[in-house]
């Protein structure tokens, strides 16, 4: 009797622990970033860190720890990616969900999912040998390793997420709406633009947010193709150094326990919070979307 | 005068034959009811008349449907134009997830009416015609999803009326409604037949007897009998019809 109860409790404990392990790991990572990151501010005033343009931790004279340039770089590259990926992604999703024959759909969907599986280093490679030279040639630049290159590749990388989530959303729209629209004399195109897409807008917003989340955190590709100049970018043709690339490049070489070391953790914490926020919004929108349907 | 005439109309989904050589004459400004047990092809027949079956891949028809004497399935037929002139109300109320106003304005806007004043006028008129105006005049901008089932269905009728069709196809318009909602729709149909030709598919024989002028009985894809509603319900010619309307099967 007692043995059975102990066994029950042990099993219960096991599943409970595994169940909440994701939460524990998440919290652990955040705390680690936060605790180390906060120590930056013993030496660097918070606002100098947040609003400073110059990031030069290994300067001979006065080192500077301003992250604004890299924040702007990250935002720029991500925004560019989204501007490219959203029309393309929603268009593809609309085509797959509403227009393609079942046979085409069954071919396209797995292909798009394979696109998601391409390693980021391979994407970076393509950026260096293909996209970079093409950009340089078209716009007459000396180097094609810039923000635009990063945006294009991140767009390709976030496409599978955007397509598959919005396609699900479009297909979840009740056929009744489409039929009502056709019965009023609307064409397929009008129906898609004015009935189907508005009806699943929140699902599409969620797909875009998830795409942004994917793009913000991407490291290897942007590190390889954006040129990594730690300065304030003025256009998409400037070489930029994003937050992720900065951490990846510098953390391996920085001496343990220095201000520079802690500053990198602070950058990581900000990155974490941003992508957490974006994912949270996506999640909230999706939940609202499901409820609205019920 | 006959508004819609079907001549030896057969409908196929792939290899499966849904309708068999149906000859039907739908008289103008009357209510014609199509009755029959589930799965007999009533709704499919209705959907042939505004070519909504076109949306189903592998569907094809044989025979003809004449609308004002013109072949609906002729190659040069403008399907959009057809659907504008032959409106439809569906089994389940299916307003768009938009405001009450936009639900009705949608059909007008896609047909090129942009003038705001004119839009508002037609929206009001359609809602009055469908008997919904008094109930929703203060909530034109709220979502149609917040209306009751019966109100939603009358909104769908208003939406169909707004683009001034000549024929209204109703596919079991009351099957999702309570008796009060059903009563209102039936009243409305009788009022509307002054202006429109109405074809209603219904599962409910009392409803057919109450509202329709002509009735057709469809069984397993075949039109068994067609005639004045009075006659069909009192002295049916066919044994099958009699069995069905007296409730011996179906």
């Amino acid at each position: 009797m007692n043995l059975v109860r102990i066994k029950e409790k042990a099993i219960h404990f096991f599943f409970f622990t595994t169940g909440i392990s994701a939460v524990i790991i998440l919290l652990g990572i955040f705390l680690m970033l936060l605790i180390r990151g906060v120590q930056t501010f013993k030496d660097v005033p918070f606002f100098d860190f947040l609003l400073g343009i110059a990031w030069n931790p290994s300067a001979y004279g006065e080192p500077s720890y301003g992250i604004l340039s890299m924040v702007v770089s990250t935002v720029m590259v991500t925004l560019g990616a989204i501007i490219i990926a959203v029309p393309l992604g929603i268009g593809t999703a609309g085509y797959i969900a509403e227009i393609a024959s079942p046979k085409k759909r069954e071919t396209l969907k797995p292909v798009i999912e394979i696109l998601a599986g391409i390693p980021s280093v391979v994407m970076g490679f393509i950026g260096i040998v293909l996209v970079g030279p093409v950009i340089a040639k078209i716009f007459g630049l000396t180097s094609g390793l810039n923000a635009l290159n990063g945006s294009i590749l991140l767009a390709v990388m976030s496409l599978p997420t955007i397509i598959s989530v919005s396609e699900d959303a479009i297909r979840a729209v009740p056929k009744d709406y489409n039929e009502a629209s056709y019965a009023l004399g609307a064409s397929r195109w009008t129906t898609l633009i004015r009935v189907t897409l508005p009806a699943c807008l929140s699902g599409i917003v969620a797909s875009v947010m998830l795409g942004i989340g994917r793009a913000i955190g991407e490291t290897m590709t942007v590190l390889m193709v954006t040129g990594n100049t730690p300065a304030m970018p003025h256009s998409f043709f400037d070489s930029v150094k994003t937050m992720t690339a900065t951490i990846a490049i510098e953390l391996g070489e920085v001496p343990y326990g220095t201000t520079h070391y802690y500053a990198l953790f602070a950058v990581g914490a900000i990155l974490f919070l941003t992508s957490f926020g974006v994912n949270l919004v996506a999640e909230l929108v999706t939940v609202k979307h499901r409820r609205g349907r019920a | 005068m006959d508004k819609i005439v079907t001549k030896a109309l057969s409908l196929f989904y792939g290899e499966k034959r849904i309708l068999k050589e149906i000859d039907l004459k739908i008289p103008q400004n009357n209510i014609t009811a199509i009755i029959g047990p589930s799965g007999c092809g009533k709704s499919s027949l209705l959907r042939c008349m505004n070519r909504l079956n076109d949306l189903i891949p592998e569907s094809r028809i044989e025979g003809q449907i004449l609308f004002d004497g013109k072949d609906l399935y002729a190659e040069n037929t403008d399907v959009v134009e057809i659907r504008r002139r032959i409106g439809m109300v569906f089994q389940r109320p299916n307003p768009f997830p938009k405001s009450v106003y936009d639900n009705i304005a949608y059909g007008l806007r896609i047909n090129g009416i942009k003038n705001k004043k004119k839009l508002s006028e037609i929206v009001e008129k359609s809602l009055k015609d469908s008997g919904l105006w008094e109930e929703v005049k203060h909530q034109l901008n709220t979502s149609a999803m917040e209306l009751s089932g019966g109100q939603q269905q009358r909104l769908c009728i208003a939406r169909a009326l707004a683009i001034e069709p000549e024929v209204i196809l109703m596919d079991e318009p009351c099957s999702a409604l309570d008796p009060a909602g059903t009563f209102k729709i039936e009243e409305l149909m009788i009022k509307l037949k002054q202006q429109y030709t109405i074809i209603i598919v219904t599962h409910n024989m009392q409803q057919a007897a109450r509202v329709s002028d002509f009735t057709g009985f469809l069984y397993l894809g075949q039109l068994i009998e067609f005639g004045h509603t009075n006659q069909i319900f009192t002295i049916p010619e066919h044994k099958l019809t009699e069995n069905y309307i007296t409730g011996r099967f179906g």
Side-chain angles (χ1 to χ4, degrees):
Chain A
M1 183 68 191
N2 235 346
L3 199 70
V4 174
R5 279 193 54 169
I6 290 169
K7 206 174 143 196
E8 277 289 319
K9 281 213 159 161
I11 291 171
H12 180 90
F13 179 75
F14 173 75
F15 279 101
F16 177 73
T17 327
T18 49
I20 63 161
S21 58
V23 178
I24 294 172
I25 292 169
L26 188 74
L27 272 177
I29 290 173
F30 180 61
L31 282 178
M32 184 196 77
L33 289 175
L34 200 67
I35 290 166
R36 300 215 169 154
V38 162
Q39 299 187 48
T40 316
F41 306 116
K42 284 192 296 194
D43 296 324
V44 187
F46 183 67
F47 285 105
D48 287 2
F49 176 77
L50 213 58
L51 301 176
I53 287 170
W55 173 266
N56 193 1
S58 40
Y60 284 117
E62 184 80 353
S64 45
Y65 297 96
I67 63 165
L68 194 61
S69 301
M70 63 174 103
V71 171
V72 170
S73 302
T74 293
V75 169
M76 225 166 99
V77 173
T78 308
L79 212 66
I82 289 307
I83 289 170
I84 300 168
V86 165
L88 216 57
I90 295 174
T92 313
Y95 176 75
I96 295 177
E98 290 287 322
I99 298 159
S101 63
K103 210 175 156 192
K104 279 183 196 143
R105 177 183 306 146
E106 274 153 35
T107 324
L108 267 173
K109 276 213 96 170
V111 170
I112 287 161
E113 270 146 31
I114 291 169
L115 192 62
I118 297 177
S120 51
V121 68
V122 174
M123 294 301 294
F125 180 70
I126 292 169
I128 292 172
V129 302
L130 180 72
V131 183
V134 170
I135 291 175
K137 191 143 205 182
I138 292 176
F139 297 102
L141 308 168
T142 47
S143 162
L145 298 183
N146 52 25
L148 180 63
N149 195 337
S151 288
I152 291 173
L153 291 174
L154 284 187
V156 174
M157 295 176 79
S158 52
L159 266 180
T161 312
I162 295 180
I163 293 172
S164 102
V165 177
S166 9
E167 199 245 359
D168 286 345
I170 293 173
R171 276 168 57 104
V173 173
K175 285 281 158 273
D176 300 18
Y177 296 161
N178 297 351
E179 288 194 337
S181 172
Y182 291 130
L184 289 168
S187 64
R188 212 171 205 180
W189 172 243
T190 315
T191 302
L192 181 63
I193 296 289
R194 301 187 59 165
V195 175
T196 318
L197 289 183
C200 62
L201 193 63
S202 51
I204 286 171
V205 170
S207 83
V208 173
M209 295 309 274
L210 289 170
I212 293 176
R214 172 98 171 84
I216 287 179
E218 176 50 44
T219 308
M220 183 48 87
T221 308
V222 287
L223 186 153
M224 289 169 78
V225 304
T226 55
N228 300 315
T229 305
M232 183 58 92
H234 298 290
S235 82
F236 273 96
F237 300 125
D238 284 351
S239 157
V240 298
K241 192 176 190 182
T242 62
M243 296 161 81
T244 50
T246 306
I247 299 174
I249 293 169
E250 296 177 11
L251 195 59
E253 296 165 358
V254 66
Y256 178 82
T258 56
T259 308
H260 185 188
Y261 177 84
Y262 291 128
L264 289 175
F265 276 92
V267 172
I270 286 169
L271 199 58
F272 177 93
L273 285 177
T274 318
S275 105
F276 182 76
V278 169
N279 280 303
L280 193 69
V281 171
E283 191 64 30
L284 290 177
V285 173
T286 320
V287 169
K288 193 173 156 246
H289 180 62
R290 283 200 201 111
R291 268 207 207 118
R293 204 158 281 306
Chain B
M1 197 199 143
D2 295 324
K3 192 72 181 167
I4 295 181
V5 179
T6 71
K7 286 187 176 164
L9 174 71
S10 294
L11 171 73
F12 299 84
Y13 289 157
E15 290 303 304
K16 208 171 150 221
R17 191 178 200 175
I18 308 294
L19 298 173
K20 286 174 203 154
E21 304 194 342
I22 290 184
D23 289 297
L24 190 64
K25 287 178 179 163
I26 309 284
Q28 189 164 11
N29 290 85
N30 275 291
I31 299 177
T32 304
I34 313 278
I35 59 169
S38 302
C40 69
K42 307 182 294 276
S43 296
S44 303
L45 174 60
L46 209 60
R47 284 160 172 260
C48 284
M49 295 178 183
N50 65 349
R51 294 193 53 170
L52 214 55
N53 281 332
D54 291 13
L55 300 176
I56 299 167
E58 305 200 348
S59 77
R60 65 190 168 85
I61 71 151
E62 281 172 10
Q64 273 191 320
I65 303 181
L66 303 179
F67 173 49
D68 278 345
K70 280 191 203 128
D71 187 358
L72 270 186
Y73 283 78
E75 271 193 23
N76 59 355
T77 305
D78 179 0
V79 183
V80 166
E81 164 78 6
I82 288 302
R83 294 194 185 133
R84 207 187 59 69
R85 290 172 61 193
I86 305 181
M88 188 163 193
V89 175
F90 295 82
Q91 183 168 0
R92 242 181 7 178
N94 58 351
F96 301 123
K98 300 172 186 279
S99 70
V100 171
Y101 184 95
D102 284 336
N103 257 281
I104 295 170
Y106 175 77
L108 301 166
R109 288 190 183 121
I110 61 172
N111 284 297
I113 300 174
K114 298 262 150 64
N115 183 324
K116 274 201 177 145
K117 194 161 158 266
K118 199 163 178 211
L119 277 177
S120 299
E121 273 171 26
I122 302 178
V123 167
E124 183 176 337
K125 182 176 179 300
S126 313
L127 284 171
K128 279 180 175 160
D129 286 348
S130 73
L132 195 60
W133 176 252
E134 287 304 319
E135 292 159 60
V136 301
K137 63 181 175 189
H138 297 303
Q139 42 177 330
L140 291 178
N141 290 319
T142 57
S143 168
M145 298 318 214
E146 284 170 28
L147 302 181
S148 74
Q151 288 175 325
Q152 287 189 2
Q153 194 63 305
R154 276 181 287 147
L155 179 65
C156 292
I157 294 176
R159 183 173 66 185
L161 296 181
I163 52 174
E164 299 188 321
E166 294 156 45
V167 179
I168 303 173
L169 308 173
M170 295 185 160
D171 187 0
E172 304 204 30
C174 303
S175 67
L177 306 184
D178 62 11
T182 303
F183 177 72
K184 281 198 173 150
I185 303 267
E186 288 180 5
E187 247 188 342
L188 177 60
M189 287 170 66
I190 291 167
K191 198 179 93 191
L192 291 175
K193 76 172 176 183
Q194 316 293 335
Q195 281 183 60
Y196 304 92
T197 303
I198 297 175
I199 309 172
I200 176 174
V201 156
T202 177
H203 207 80
N204 177 336
M205 279 171 286
Q206 286 75 28
Q207 182 168 55
R210 278 194 301 264
V211 300
S212 70
D213 305 295
F214 293 87
T215 298
F217 172 56
L218 208 59
Y219 183 65
L220 297 178
Q222 279 178 305
L223 186 68
I224 306 294
E225 196 168 344
F226 183 81
H228 283 278
T229 300
N230 277 340
Q231 182 215 326
I232 297 266
F233 278 91
T234 50
I235 36 167
E237 277 174 15
H238 236 275
K239 190 75 187 154
L240 267 173
T241 317
E242 190 185 326
N243 285 346
Y244 181 70
I245 59 173
T246 51
R248 255 170 256 166
F249 75 95

